[in-house]
Amino acid sequence: MKKRISFITLLYLIAVTGIAQIANIQVPELEKKHFRNTIRIPDLDGYKTLKCDFHMHTVFSDGIVWPDVRIEEAWEEGLDAIAITDHIEYTPHKPFVGGSFNSSYEIAYQKAKELGIVLIRGAEITRDMPPGHLNVLFVKNIDKINVPDPMGAIMEAKNQGAFIFWNHPCWTAQQPDSCIMFSMHKDLIKKHVISGIEVFNEKEWYPIALHWCLENNLTILGNSDIHDFTSHYYSMEQWHRPMTLVFSKDTASENIREALFAGRTVAWFAKYVAGKEVYLQELFRKSVIVDKPGKTIKGETALTLKNMSDFTFELSSLSVPGKSVVFHPGESISMKVKPDEEFFVTNWFIGADKNLRVRFF
Ligand SMILES: [Zn+2]
Ligand SMILES: [Zn+2]
């Protein structure tokens, strides 16, 4: 009864004061402003360094976001190229969203064009081990890859010109006690059907996979495999999502494909970097600038070093026990070094248990 009286009173007030004549007042300060983050990573000689994530899901498999969201996230986080790779064999939301296996790509394509994100058509072949889960990129029609036989699916993707890589090889759900490469993988690598392996997936890093990549001259990948919103899942205030850095002539999709087949990549996840020594060495040289070389006193030179990148470097001297320094993005540090002094970058990996070695002279 009390509520009814209040409502009647309100109607009376509106009638008397005329408040109801104002139909719509905008409050724009409530709306969040969106900015694109800049990731500072140097280019290599002759190549642009593209920040890419080639593994993620939407509601068209078991992810929780609409395909457009993946493009908006990539734009805000400063990525250049992504592949939406919904599972072919696992589509729990299918009764609610319908569509075909190409839908996530087709829906996201317009938004990608609008925001300047390179969107690569891809999918995840999702089978028991072996072969486990394989991502296929640059495919033409994902519906045709939906066949019962795993080898049939893989070969159909290959015939469509796919770049194929082995996902999360040491995922404990598929390899609980150890992590081995099965003869099926060896065979597919030998036949140039599998061309790369994820050394990093979601929040897991597999040193043995880096060893396999280097041993077999395979492309090294690090991807998010995100199902949630990236900003819900990752600690974005401190880090970025895991990504594959691709050294490509430019952002054209066919040149990204060329770079992937040529193995010009490194994986970057939190403070860690994993890849071929030649690329890590050049990235280090172009990221760390000797700002002010000082005087040499008693065989040691005072250096001011500037980290021009968003990489973190944990340096540890090979010749002076206990001498170490953590070098954060954008930071300048002063340090005395001997002319022949070498350092390990203990968070940069050029082998399963091998760190990059650097010097400043
Ligand atoms: Zn998977
Ligand atoms: Zn996945």
Side-chain angles (χ1 to χ4, degrees):
M1 192 53 161
K2 196 180 171 196
K3 266 188 189 166
R4 200 167 162 222
I5 291 166
S6 301
F7 183 61
I8 291 165
T9 310
L10 182 66
L11 283 178
Y12 174 74
L13 277 172
I14 288 169
V16 170
T17 60
I19 289 171
Q21 287 175 25
I22 303 167
N24 185 327
I25 299 173
Q26 294 287 313
V27 187
E29 59 267 37
L30 266 176
E31 196 179 329
K32 187 180 170 183
K33 299 276 179 293
H34 293 263
F35 299 99
R36 178 159 161 85
N37 181 41
T38 303
I39 302 173
R40 296 169 300 174
I41 302 293
D43 291 332
L44 300 191
D45 290 343
Y47 297 111
K48 288 222 163 306
T49 300
L50 304 182
K51 298 98 192 173
C52 308
D53 185 357
F54 299 119
H55 191 166
M56 63 189 74
H57 298 272
T58 74
V59 289
F60 286 90
S61 60
D62 56 345
I64 63 161
V65 309
W66 192 250
D68 281 12
V69 175
R70 293 293 178 229
I71 304 295
E72 284 165 2
E73 288 174 332
W75 181 83
E76 278 196 36
E77 292 169 38
L79 270 68
D80 300 296
I82 65 164
I84 296 174
T85 52
D86 279 314
H87 299 287
I88 294 176
E89 299 83 353
Y90 183 55
T91 55
H93 307 312
K94 184 90 174 164
F96 309 102
V97 297
S100 81
F101 292 106
N102 294 295
S103 294
S104 42
Y105 174 86
E106 281 159 6
I107 292 165
Y109 182 77
Q110 207 45 45
K111 180 66 78 182
K113 231 171 120 183
E114 205 180 289
L115 295 180
I117 298 293
V118 179
L119 177 64
I120 293 158
R121 194 190 295 257
E124 181 168 13
I125 295 174
T126 310
R127 305 294 176 127
D128 292 339
M129 192 74 88
H133 296 193
L134 302 173
N135 267 10
V136 295
L137 308 183
F138 309 100
V139 284
K140 292 178 176 67
N141 185 350
I142 303 162
D143 291 336
K144 285 191 173 173
I145 304 168
N146 182 30
V147 296
D149 172 43
M151 280 310 292
I154 294 166
M155 292 322 291
E156 171 58 32
K158 186 68 190 165
N159 290 338
Q160 290 187 24
F163 174 82
I164 303 175
F165 60 93
W166 184 13
N167 298 340
H168 44 72
C170 306
W171 183 34
T172 51
Q174 289 198 317
Q175 299 222 58
D177 305 319
S178 61
C179 185
I180 59 158
M181 186 189 277
F182 292 78
S183 56
M184 187 191 275
H185 299 115
K186 288 179 188 165
D187 192 45
L188 289 169
I189 288 167
K190 213 167 132 193
K191 290 177 176 152
H192 303 288
V193 175
I194 288 180
S195 303
I197 308 179
E198 281 184 337
V199 303
F200 188 88
N201 173 284
E202 196 185 274
K203 53 183 167 47
E204 297 182 341
W205 133 244
Y206 317 114
I208 194 170
L210 178 61
H211 174 72
W212 291 337
C213 285
L214 296 169
E215 202 178 36
N216 295 283
N217 198 24
L218 297 172
T219 303
I220 293 158
L221 296 120
N223 296 312
S224 70
D225 198 359
I226 190 75
H227 290 67
D228 200 340
F229 290 88
T230 52
S231 56
H232 286 190
Y233 192 81
Y234 289 113
S235 176
M236 296 293 222
E237 303 78 29
Q238 197 182 0
W239 307 111
H240 49 82
R241 79 165 82 181
M243 62 184 81
T244 304
L245 301 176
V246 177
F247 310 117
S248 175
K249 281 179 206 121
D250 54 38
T251 54
S253 182
E254 61 269 25
N255 287 333
I256 296 173
R257 184 174 179 274
E258 185 275 327
L260 286 175
F261 274 110
R264 291 197 307 272
T265 63
V266 303
W268 184 29
F269 41 100
K271 66 180 181 182
Y272 304 102
V273 171
K276 290 178 190 148
E277 184 174 6
V278 61
Y279 298 133
L280 268 59
Q281 201 59 257
E282 192 174 345
L283 282 174
F284 181 85
R285 256 191 303 113
K286 290 184 168 155
S287 298
V288 177
I289 307 294
V290 180
D291 210 18
K292 289 178 205 152
K295 286 181 182 162
T296 302
I297 302 166
K298 292 182 186 165
E300 283 193 320
T301 306
L303 295 180
T304 301
L305 305 168
K306 189 161 171 51
N307 181 357
M308 309 292 285
S309 74
D310 281 336
F311 290 130
T312 297
F313 302 100
E314 293 182 349
L315 303 171
S316 178
S317 174
L318 266 78
S319 52
V320 184
K323 183 179 174 183
S324 63
V325 63
V326 181
F327 200 8
H328 294 107
E331 214 173 52
S332 284
I333 55 167
S334 296
M335 186 158 75
K336 285 181 184 165
V337 293
K338 292 178 182 146
D340 57 350
E341 193 169 349
E342 282 191 291
F343 291 81
F344 277 129
V345 186
T346 57
N347 58 328
W348 280 37
F349 293 89
I350 55 167
D353 52 5
K354 201 172 167 193
N355 294 122
L356 182 72
R357 270 166 92 139
V358 295
R359 58 203 305 169
F360 299 108
F361 292 97

